[in-house]
Amino acid sequence: MCEKILPVGDHMIRSGPIHLWLQLPEPWRANDFATEARRRHVAVTPAESFAVGRNSTPHAVRICFGMPRTRDELQAGLETISKMLMDPACAGASFA
């Protein structure tokens, strides 16, 4: 389902059957993307949450498919993420 909704290509890195990593395009930063997604009622986790030590982390988020109760809920969440990726102007929304 995610390949039909999210833009396929260099940004999507499948990591397992229940989650994937999404490398964020400019101008997005992982924490800003997660904040804006949460504002839109979608939970994603910034890569920084999985980092060990002080190494820099990629501007990526982890999308887990295990949280939604229904396929419709999953589809709506993926569509929200897709819309965010297609509109770089909303990347600054969390700074407002």
Side-chain angles (χ1 to χ4, degrees):
M1 175 188 298
C2 64
E3 290 87 0
K4 293 179 182 177
I5 299 172
L6 295 177
V8 178
D10 297 336
H11 300 296
M12 198 180 331
I13 305 165
R14 185 168 284 283
S15 297
I18 61 168
H19 70 273
L20 67 79
W21 285 95
L22 184 64
Q23 183 75 33
L24 299 171
E26 287 290 338
W28 283 111
R29 297 294 175 253
N31 286 324
D32 296 334
F33 191 89
T35 298
E36 180 62 16
R38 191 172 23 259
R39 190 183 72 75
R40 296 175 186 219
H41 308 288
V42 176
V44 297
T45 307
E48 186 176 89
S49 298
F50 300 94
V52 177
R54 293 181 173 221
N55 296 332
S56 63
T57 56
H59 295 289
V61 293
R62 183 176 184 258
I63 300 171
C64 181
F65 304 125
M67 293 287 292
R69 292 180 293 271
T70 66
R71 289 182 70 80
D72 288 342
E73 195 175 75
L74 173 60
Q75 181 174 344
L78 291 173
E79 288 172 352
T80 297
I81 290 168
S82 180
K83 287 175 187 171
M84 289 172 60
L85 291 170
M86 301 293 188
D87 184 10
C90 71
S94 61
F95 298 116

